[in-house]
Amino acid sequence: MRVADLDIPEKVKEIQLKRGFTDLYPPQEDALETGVLEGRNLVLASPTASGKTLIAELCAMKHVVERGGKVLYMTPLRALAWEMYETFKAYAGVERRDGRKIRVGISTGDLDSSTPWLEPYDIVITTNEKCDSLLRHRTPWMDGVSLVVADEIHLIGGDRGPTLEVALARLRQLKPDLQILALSATIRNAEEVAEWLEAEWVATEWRPVELREGVNLNDTIMFKDGSLKRLKPLHRMDALNIALNVVIEGDQSLVFVESRRRSMSLAREAASALGGVLSKRELGRLQKVSADILVHGEKTSLSDDLASSISRGAAFHHAGLRTGHRRIVEGAFKAGKIKVIVATPTLAAGVNLPARTVVIGSYRRFVPGYGMYPISVLEYKQMSGRAGRPQYDDFGEAVLIASSSDEQDALMENYVLAKPERLYSRLASEAALRGHTLAAVASDYAHSEQGLLDFFGGTFYGYHYPPGNIKVILGAILRYLRLQDMIQYKGEHIYATDFGRRASELYIDPLSAVTLRDGLRERALEVTDFTWLHLICHTPNMRPILRPRRRDGEVVGAFAEEHRDEFACRVPDDGDFFDYEQFLGEVKTAMVLNAWIEETSEGDLLNRFSVQPGDRYSAVHNAEWLLYAAHELASVLGLPDPRRHLRQLRLRVKYGVTRRLLPLVRLRGIGRVRARVLHNSGFTSIASLKRAPVSRLVEIPLIGPRMAKVIKEQVGGVVDEEEWRRLESEEAEQRALTDFIEEEPEQV
Ligand SMILES: Nc1ncnc2c1ncn2[C@@H]1O[C@H](COP(=O)(O)OP(=O)(O)OP(=O)(O)O)[C@@H](O)[C@H]1O
Ligand SMILES: [Mg+2]
């Protein structure tokens, strides 16, 4: 089917042709034949890079341009939301029937807001959590949504799946004639997802680039079709041997391993093995990437390690790295500079980063409580599907690694030839259902036990099982919510109390809200910053907590003992092993946050607590949110004292600074490091910056002409015209100085 022949707005056609899309891929053709452009619901399940987004783009454009509709695009990750935003921005110049240009908006942040400014936007991209939160806030413009795209819907079977199915159930309850387009990786029961959503379905294994899947044993890969490929013996480790064979053929590879530690050690090995292989020119380009890593963010042994591997052509990639470093690695790999990435599986679920060869270095993964556990076929497919770059490769290779011929046979059968698992709902657990039940009552989805059962009947869970199955758990949850004064009954009718409603809007687990409330009321004997930091770490929303290692276990235990009077909740007995371990994890997390607001550097946090920047980031991000939640709950509960303390503490956690630096970090471009430098140079307030001559600011390390100008623009004060002109020209010359401001987070 040719793009030119499609029944879509002319301008949209032009955009496709300009991109070089002249023909549709076969699954795209199948998708259009279901009538999705005319408004039918569709579940499209196809492999990575088979062009699902284009179907969403065409539907969205037809919907907006011809029908004046509004589109909501839901994605599981912030990084993906931004990728989609870039994609849809290409249509911003297209006009609707009424002559108005299309507007594309994105919202992934603030979960306690109905985000009214998105009202006039035609296409809105959100994360699944933000969408759920918008529904909880009864955001008026959500009623106008007429097409929902649910991307990566196969994640409905994962931890955060319940949020997705509940949001979809609510959207359909609000608007029964809503059009739904669900995009999925290849799954076994696409037809069930389709039946749930009353949709047509297309399920295919078609890929734009052929995928050769195989299992390596010693120096030979056996492919699915029985063919063999012999490798040169270049390295004693099989995973790296495959990767190096690819590099000497002039290509790149992506190696998946089970842990962060392993990704780093393999990247180091790969880097030393690559030494003799790369040309001077290639090494020169890598030097620049390596330098980029070093100037981005605070220096840690992790960034040194990464920069050193990169300078020789290999990199590691895992969630302990700061987002900015991950983006640099991804960019340099796409540009062909980095030859080998050794990654943990988080990469497979994230941004689009194809490679000619994917090596699955380990098919086992550590699962807390189970030990090493084989990954699912779906996960294997997500990783192997990264092989083969549409514009460059004729085929992609995905290789598992066996250490015996029995294992080779087993891997062939259990992964290469296996079908992905069926998806099923994870909603029927108390932990998942608790928050959604409170939200359903607080935001008027349902007001009785039967109403709740009917509402949950509209979820994927409700499609598979009779709602009566959750009657017992639901009963227990309702009793709990009532006991905690989050809901009230009037006969059969259930209402949310102010406390319950606010907890639901704040998007925290009801259990967290109860913990915060009790702690706020109870107070410690001696209230300090640590009191509140520990209290938030004691809630189930502070996940994952940072567990003590052998190295710091004793220090954490001693700290807890010393600060015994500062806890606003019960300290478990150290004879109670599980509770006490959990407690120590909470204490350690609070200690890390405490060190952070005392301006401990990221390098020191890593050395002292083994906390990598990515984890430090998540802890800070969660803490900021929970301190905000605690502040808001203190307000509902009428507790003015802790409120003041919490407001300041939240800002300190956000910026990682002591109280004195707060006025400075509020300036654009000034993070904790520059604020400290300014403070040490005697600039302790906005007024002192206003008085300062520019020449004085320019001299300060890390400030220089560019930042001096940024500061002066914000604080004002008298500046000589000639001096200003000089700053402008110097600014243009100067390479952008990387600052230390927090970047976009990876996940909500
Ligand atoms: N008809 C087409 N002709 C040429 N290129 C296309 C066509 N359709 C899509 N593409 C290109 O294919 C690439 C992969 O598409 P897309 O990102 O939509 O994959 P996907 O199916 O969503 O995969 P994933 O499961 O990884 O999200 C994109 O770079 C896109 O530009
Ligand atoms: Mg996609």
Side-chain angles (χ1 to χ4, degrees):
M1 203 184 281
R2 297 177 58 79
V3 169
D5 302 334
L6 296 177
D7 179 21
I8 51 173
E10 277 310 313
K11 188 86 207 243
V12 176
K13 237 181 245 184
E14 278 169 30
I15 291 176
Q16 308 317 322
L17 296 173
K18 234 182 240 158
R19 286 161 112 178
F21 297 5
T22 47
D23 295 279
L24 290 184
Y25 287 159
Q28 294 172 335
E29 264 188 68
D30 294 346
L32 293 193
E33 271 162 21
T34 62
V36 70
L37 280 184
E38 287 73 50
R40 301 284 287 265
N41 292 349
L42 172 67
V43 173
L44 173 55
S46 65
T48 291
S50 57
K52 295 184 282 286
T53 321
L54 182 64
I55 295 303
E57 291 165 49
L58 299 183
C59 281
M61 294 319 292
K62 186 136 171 129
H63 206 80
V64 174
V65 173
E66 295 184 0
R67 297 183 212 125
K70 185 170 180 117
V71 182
L72 186 77
Y73 194 111
M74 299 166 67
T75 67
L77 293 174
R78 284 186 179 207
L80 287 177
W82 284 97
E83 245 179 44
M84 286 308 142
Y85 179 62
E86 290 302 322
T87 303
F88 278 96
K89 259 193 358 206
Y91 299 95
V94 178
E95 285 174 5
R96 307 196 312 180
R97 280 262 159 90
D98 62 6
R100 179 164 80 55
K101 289 220 166 89
I102 286 182
R103 292 180 178 167
V104 183
I106 176 166
S107 176
T108 63
D110 190 356
L111 293 176
D112 182 30
S113 162
S114 66
T115 323
W117 57 267
L118 280 172
E119 218 273 333
Y121 287 77
D122 304 291
I123 298 172
V124 176
I125 325 265
T126 69
T127 54
N128 297 341
E129 277 72 17
K130 176 68 189 181
C131 169
D132 189 28
S133 142
L134 288 167
L135 290 166
R136 289 187 186 193
H137 280 87
R138 286 177 292 183
T139 301
W141 60 258
M142 288 287 269
D143 296 353
V145 171
S146 44
L147 166 64
V148 167
V149 182
D151 202 354
E152 315 269 341
I153 199 173
H154 53 271
L155 294 177
I156 215 162
D159 290 347
R160 288 151 69 217
T163 301
L164 177 57
E165 56 176 308
V166 166
L168 285 173
R170 173 58 176 166
L171 285 161
R172 297 178 79 201
Q173 185 195 40
L174 274 176
K175 204 170 181 127
D177 61 348
L178 176 77
Q179 187 189 359
I180 297 186
L181 171 57
L183 308 178
S184 167
T186 314
I187 46 171
R188 192 183 291 193
N189 53 339
E191 75 283 6
E192 291 186 338
V193 179
E195 198 176 358
W196 164 46
L197 297 172
E198 297 173 285
E200 305 291 322
W201 55 280
V202 169
T204 141
E205 302 266 0
W206 183 90
R207 292 176 37 100
V209 183
E210 186 202 340
L211 177 63
R212 296 190 190 157
E213 293 168 89
V215 185
N216 179 80
L217 179 62
N218 303 325
D219 290 335
T220 307
I221 304 173
M222 183 197 279
F223 287 102
K224 195 174 174 175
D225 61 5
S227 64
L228 299 175
K229 177 172 174 180
R230 287 197 201 289
L231 303 174
K232 291 197 180 129
L234 299 173
H235 202 279
R236 69 193 157 77
M237 288 157 113
D238 289 334
L240 291 186
N241 193 41
I242 302 168
L244 290 172
N245 270 271
V246 174
V247 176
I248 57 168
E249 285 168 24
D251 275 306
Q252 297 166 286
S253 60
L254 193 56
V255 181
F256 285 107
V257 292
E258 70 281 13
S259 69
R260 293 183 189 180
R261 189 190 294 256
R262 185 114 177 111
S263 76
M264 291 161 69
S265 64
L266 280 199
R268 232 174 278 138
E269 287 267 356
S272 41
L274 279 169
V277 181
L278 302 182
S279 71
K280 254 207 167 114
R281 201 170 146 262
E282 284 175 310
L283 289 169
R285 298 203 306 165
L286 286 163
Q287 213 59 53
K288 288 206 185 99
V289 181
S290 170
D292 263 359
I293 294 282
L294 291 176
V295 296
H296 189 99
E298 293 179 40
K299 180 180 158 62
T300 64
S301 57
L302 201 69
S303 56
D304 285 347
D305 196 355
L306 182 63
S308 146
S309 291
I310 288 178
S311 68
R312 288 167 295 154
F316 54 88
H317 186 292
H318 61 61
L321 286 178
R322 48 189 305 142
T323 316
H325 283 162
R326 273 179 271 167
R327 295 290 106 86
I328 293 175
V329 169
E330 291 156 12
F333 190 74
K334 280 187 186 159
K337 297 175 191 167
I338 292 176
K339 304 297 172 189
V340 178
I341 291 186
V342 190
T344 54
T346 45
L347 180 66
V351 289
N352 192 19
L353 192 72
R356 198 202 74 184
T357 300
V358 167
V359 183
I360 293 137
S362 166
Y363 61 92
R364 293 202 183 88
R365 167 126 52 111
F366 183 76
V367 182
Y370 289 89
M372 293 308 280
Y373 208 73
I375 58 172
S376 68
V377 179
L378 192 63
E379 279 174 282
Y380 161 74
K381 296 276 174 202
Q382 289 290 105
M383 291 193 253
S384 56
R386 297 273 156 201
R389 296 161 307 167
Q391 289 86 359
Y392 307 99
D393 303 327
D394 299 331
F395 63 89
E397 290 171 332
V399 188
L400 284 150
I401 294 183
S403 52
S404 68
S405 63
D406 280 353
E407 193 179 22
Q408 190 174 33
D409 291 346
L411 292 178
M412 197 57 102
E413 191 170 321
N414 297 339
Y415 290 109
V416 177
L417 299 170
K419 284 214 157 62
E421 292 77 12
R422 277 166 58 114
L423 292 184
Y424 64 94
S425 163
R426 301 268 285 259
L427 183 64
S429 76
E430 197 174 322
L433 211 49
R434 194 160 55 213
H436 291 298
T437 300
L438 178 60
V441 173
S443 305
D444 302 324
Y445 310 176
H447 282 291
S448 65
E449 202 165 330
Q450 187 54 48
L452 284 164
L453 288 173
D454 291 345
F455 173 72
F456 289 122
T459 61
F460 192 46
Y461 179 85
Y463 163 79
H464 270 141
Y465 306 100
N469 281 14
I470 51 168
K471 225 173 160 158
V472 176
I473 316 182
L474 187 65
I477 289 171
L478 289 171
R479 275 193 300 281
Y480 174 80
L481 295 176
R482 188 180 195 173
L483 182 74
Q484 295 299 343
D485 202 27
M486 301 186 113
I487 58 170
Q488 280 172 347
Y489 280 68
K490 259 193 202 144
E492 297 281 283
H493 211 94
I494 313 175
Y495 295 92
T497 61
D498 288 345
F499 170 54
R501 175 164 306 109
R502 200 67 193 106
S504 165
E505 287 173 351
L506 286 166
Y507 213 77
I508 54 176
D509 189 320
L511 226 58
S512 296
V514 168
T515 302
L516 294 176
R517 177 197 62 192
D518 294 351
L520 284 164
R521 279 198 181 136
E522 182 70 36
R523 303 289 197 83
L525 293 172
E526 189 192 335
V527 177
T528 60
D529 291 341
F530 182 74
T531 303
W532 302 129
L533 293 176
H534 175 264
L535 183 65
I536 59 166
C537 293
H538 187 52
T539 67
N541 277 101
M542 193 69 184
R543 288 291 176 277
I545 52 169
L546 308 165
R547 301 210 174 256
R549 308 272 175 111
R550 218 172 301 147
R551 230 163 69 192
D552 57 9
E554 275 183 28
V555 179
V556 174
F559 188 92
E561 201 46 55
E562 253 169 62
H563 294 258
R564 226 182 159 79
D565 291 343
E566 295 171 40
F567 292 102
C569 49
R570 197 186 68 84
V571 175
D573 194 354
D574 61 5
D576 187 345
F577 181 75
F578 285 104
D579 278 1
Y580 199 70
E581 282 297 297
Q582 168 72 23
F583 170 73
L584 288 182
E586 294 165 7
V587 172
K588 171 167 171 178
T589 314
M591 283 171 77
V592 169
L593 291 168
N594 212 16
W596 167 250
I597 61 175
E598 293 299 331
E599 295 179 34
T600 305
S601 71
E602 296 215 82
D604 282 348
L605 290 177
L606 181 59
N607 294 341
R608 266 168 61 191
F609 299 103
S610 313
V611 175
Q612 299 179 342
D615 299 318
R616 195 280 304 151
Y617 181 84
S618 311
V620 163
H621 190 64
N622 284 337
E624 198 200 328
W625 185 251
L626 286 162
L627 287 168
Y628 171 75
H631 174 269
E632 293 299 295
L633 291 178
S635 177
V636 173
L637 301 166
L639 303 167
D641 273 11
R643 277 186 70 193
R644 235 164 287 138
H645 190 168
L646 287 165
R647 193 176 317 133
Q648 192 186 65
L649 187 57
R650 176 181 163 225
L651 286 172
R652 289 184 54 199
V653 166
K654 177 171 179 177
Y655 295 108
V657 293
T658 48
R659 200 166 41 83
R660 294 214 175 102
L661 294 195
L662 279 179
L664 299 177
V665 286
R666 287 183 184 194
L667 293 172
R668 185 167 43 81
I670 304 293
R672 65 195 305 236
V673 176
R674 288 209 177 100
R676 176 45 61 198
V677 170
L678 284 173
H679 201 274
N680 290 349
S681 310
F683 297 101
T684 54
S685 65
I686 297 294
S688 63
L689 286 170
K690 191 170 172 177
R691 281 194 304 271
V694 174
S695 56
R696 177 78 187 83
L697 293 179
V698 171
E699 283 165 12
I700 302 173
L702 287 176
I703 300 296
R706 189 176 80 99
M707 279 316 298
K709 181 164 175 274
V710 170
I711 292 170
K712 275 296 181 188
E713 275 164 357
Q714 295 176 80
V715 302
V718 186
V719 185
D720 188 290
E721 203 184 310
E722 198 182 314
E723 203 169 23
W724 193 254
R725 241 180 277 125
R726 210 182 55 238
L727 283 185
E728 294 205 311
S729 66
E730 283 185 45
E731 181 199 3
E733 277 168 30
Q734 207 179 27
R735 213 167 70 87
L737 260 179
T738 329
D739 51 33
F740 300 90
I741 310 295
E742 211 62 273
E743 61 229 4
E744 253 308 295
E746 179 70 356
Q747 284 193 359
V748 257

